[in-house]
């Protein structure tokens, strides 16, 4: 099999108090091929409120008992709460001190046995392809079994288990700051690109500027669309997400069964030797329907937003 892996990227997981999710995530990773050649880097934040204490204590006990199945396990514990975003960035900076490519995951993911194989081979294959900026292991719950290729390229981005490169990430972070978000919102050319490719991103962009925050997945999709960059996705998802239960920061308590029961690949290896192209209009149309990104969906969302502002 080509795409030979010389250095195995570490897996970085920030966590706080979701013990059941975190344990499921780590256990599934430990069953992946190449886990015994992979460093696991865990960032444990400190409880911010009383409701975090029990879950945090369970994770702490789990870590203290020792995690097996990996080449190395590195645990970075915080003595005070630093928040999810800073915990995430600190882990990235730490990992990039030692590796040119890393794998990032939230703590509520469950992985296929070939997840590490796929990500590492993707990092090798697209290392020198500037247009490809991430290798995403999750694929959305849309029908793609009649799609002939094993993977595809898309402007979309999913943080539910992805591989990124140090050099490409530095370029992205330098360009996509809160100040840059305001510039995009004021740029007619940039906004036309966004509205043509994924209209609902315009609402998310406005939300980020209005509340002076950074939504990593939104930022990366803006970067992809405006700069014509791509992420690699598998046809069949290699990740199942358990976070739509109200326990996380960004995923609400809705449609949980869609994600918890989503089929994922059961193979132990992933062959990336075949030709891979940008997703076809046919399948992109299915994705846009799933995201609610069709023109009439945007009109409905805008009307609901205006209604809330007027009558709330």
């Amino acid at each position: 099999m080509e795409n030979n892996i010389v250095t195995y990227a570490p897996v970085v997981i920030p966590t706080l108090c979701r013990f059941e999710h975190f344990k499921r995530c780590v256990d599934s990773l430990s069953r992946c091929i190449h886990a015994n050649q992979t460093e696991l880097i865990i960032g444990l934040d400190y409880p911010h409120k009383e409701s975090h204490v029990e879950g945090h204590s369970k994770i702490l006990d789990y870590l203290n008992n020792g995690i097996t199945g990996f080449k190395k396990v590195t645990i970075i514990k915080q003595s005070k709460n630093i928040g999810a975003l800073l915990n995430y960035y600190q882990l990235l900076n730490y990992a990039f001190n030692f590796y040119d490519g890393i794998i990032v995951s939230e703590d509520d993911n469950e992985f296929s046995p070939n997840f590490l194989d796929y990500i590492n081979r993707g990092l090798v294959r697209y290392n020198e392809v500037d247009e490809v900026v991430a290798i995403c292991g999750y694929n959305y719950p849309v029908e793609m079994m009649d799609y002939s290729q094993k993977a595809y390229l898309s402007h979309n981005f999913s943080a539910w288990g992805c591989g990124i490169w140090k050099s490409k990430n530095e370029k992205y972070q330098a360009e996509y700051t809160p100040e840059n978000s305001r510039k995009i919102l004021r740029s007619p050319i940039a906004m036309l690109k966004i509205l043509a490719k994924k209209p609902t991103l315009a609402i998310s962009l406005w939300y980020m500027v209005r509340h002076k925050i950074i939504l990593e997945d939104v930022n990366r999709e803006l970067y992809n669309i405006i700069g014509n960059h791509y992420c690699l996705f598998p046809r069949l998802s290699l990740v199942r997400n358990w976070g739509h239960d109200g326990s996380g920061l960004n995923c609400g308590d809705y449609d949980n069964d869609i994600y918890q029961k989503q089929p994922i690949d059961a193979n132990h290896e992933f062959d990336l030797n075949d030709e891979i192209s940008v997703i076809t209009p046919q399948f992109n149309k299915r994705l846009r329907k799933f995201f609610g990104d069709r023109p009439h969906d945007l009109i409905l969302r805008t009307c609901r937003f205006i209604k809330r502002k007027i009558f709330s």
Side-chain angles (χ1 to χ4, degrees), residues 47-307:
H48 176 61
K49 52 187 178 181
E50 186 63 30
S51 60
H52 295 160
V53 172
E54 182 180 356
H56 179 270
S57 297
K58 288 182 178 179
I59 291 177
L60 195 57
D61 289 342
Y62 175 67
L63 296 177
N64 289 338
N65 287 331
I67 295 175
T68 60
F70 299 91
K71 180 180 179 180
K72 180 181 179 182
V73 178
T74 300
I75 302 169
I76 301 173
K77 302 174 186 176
Q78 300 295 336
S79 58
K80 63 179 181 179
N81 184 269
I82 61 173
L85 194 61
L86 185 55
N87 190 22
Y88 165 77
Y89 283 131
Q90 283 194 3
L91 287 176
L92 258 62
N93 292 335
Y94 174 86
F96 278 137
N97 283 330
F98 305 99
Y99 297 89
D100 292 326
I102 67 173
I103 302 169
V104 183
S105 173
E106 298 175 359
D107 63 359
D108 53 11
N109 293 319
E110 178 184 2
F111 299 100
S112 295
N114 60 358
F115 170 76
L116 293 178
D117 192 55
Y118 161 81
I119 298 288
N120 279 286
R121 293 189 187 282
L123 289 172
V124 172
R125 174 167 176 167
Y126 292 100
N127 180 44
E128 297 182 4
V129 181
D130 291 339
E131 292 80 10
V132 178
V133 293
I135 310 297
C136 299
Y138 179 76
N139 193 28
Y140 310 97
V142 298
E143 178 55 54
M144 295 193 72
M145 295 311 295
D146 52 339
Y147 192 71
S148 61
Q149 298 180 0
K150 295 181 180 178
Y152 66 92
L153 294 168
S154 171
H155 289 313
N156 291 319
F157 170 80
S158 172
W160 292 353
C162 65
I164 55 177
W165 297 267
K166 181 179 181 178
S167 58
K168 296 180 185 181
N169 191 64
E170 287 174 346
K171 184 178 180 181
Y172 154 72
Q173 289 189 329
E175 294 183 19
Y176 276 70
T177 62
E179 293 75 19
N180 189 70
S181 297
R182 287 188 285 273
K183 290 179 183 178
I184 295 173
L185 199 58
R186 298 190 190 108
S187 168
I189 295 176
M191 291 306 298
L192 283 173
K193 287 184 178 180
I194 294 167
L195 291 171
K197 296 288 186 179
K198 196 169 184 180
T200 52
L201 275 182
I203 298 175
S204 299
L205 173 62
W206 176 88
Y207 182 85
M208 287 199 302
V209 172
R210 175 69 176 81
H211 296 278
K212 298 179 180 179
I213 61 173
I214 294 176
L215 299 174
E216 187 72 11
D217 54 346
V218 172
N219 246 7
R220 287 189 178 272
E221 290 195 353
L222 291 170
Y223 180 69
N224 290 350
I225 290 173
I226 295 172
N228 200 34
H229 298 112
Y230 294 92
C231 296
L232 181 72
F233 286 82
R235 179 185 63 195
L236 178 60
S237 184
L238 312 184
V239 185
R240 180 182 292 125
N241 184 267
W242 292 77
H244 284 76
D245 57 357
S247 66
L249 289 176
N250 299 316
C251 294
D253 185 8
Y254 62 93
D255 290 339
N256 205 15
D257 283 351
I258 293 178
Y259 301 101
Q260 285 187 7
K261 296 180 180 179
Q262 184 175 355
I264 58 176
D265 199 331
N267 292 309
H268 287 270
E269 294 184 344
F270 196 102
D271 185 1
L272 265 182
N273 292 325
D274 295 343
E275 180 182 352
I276 296 171
S277 58
V278 176
I279 190 170
T280 63
Q282 173 191 0
F283 290 100
N284 194 49
K285 185 177 180 180
R286 295 182 190 178
L287 285 175
R288 293 190 68 166
K289 181 179 180 181
F290 172 74
F291 288 122
D293 261 323
R294 296 166 298 177
H296 67 276
D297 292 319
L298 183 62
I299 293 171
L300 287 173
R301 289 189 182 196
T302 304
C303 290
R304 292 191 193 106
F305 175 79
I306 294 172
K307 182 179 178 181

Side-chain angles (χ1 to χ4, degrees), residues 13 20-32 40 42 62-63 67-68 70 107 109-111:
I13 305 176
E20 289 79 11
H21 287 330
F22 176 71
K23 185 176 184 301
R24 182 190 300 111
C25 177
V26 173
D27 287 349
S28 66
L29 268 179
S30 70
R31 293 190 290 269
C32 287
L40 178 62
I42 299 166
Y62 175 67
L63 296 177
I67 295 175
T68 60
F70 299 91
D107 63 359
N109 293 319
E110 178 184 2
F111 299 100

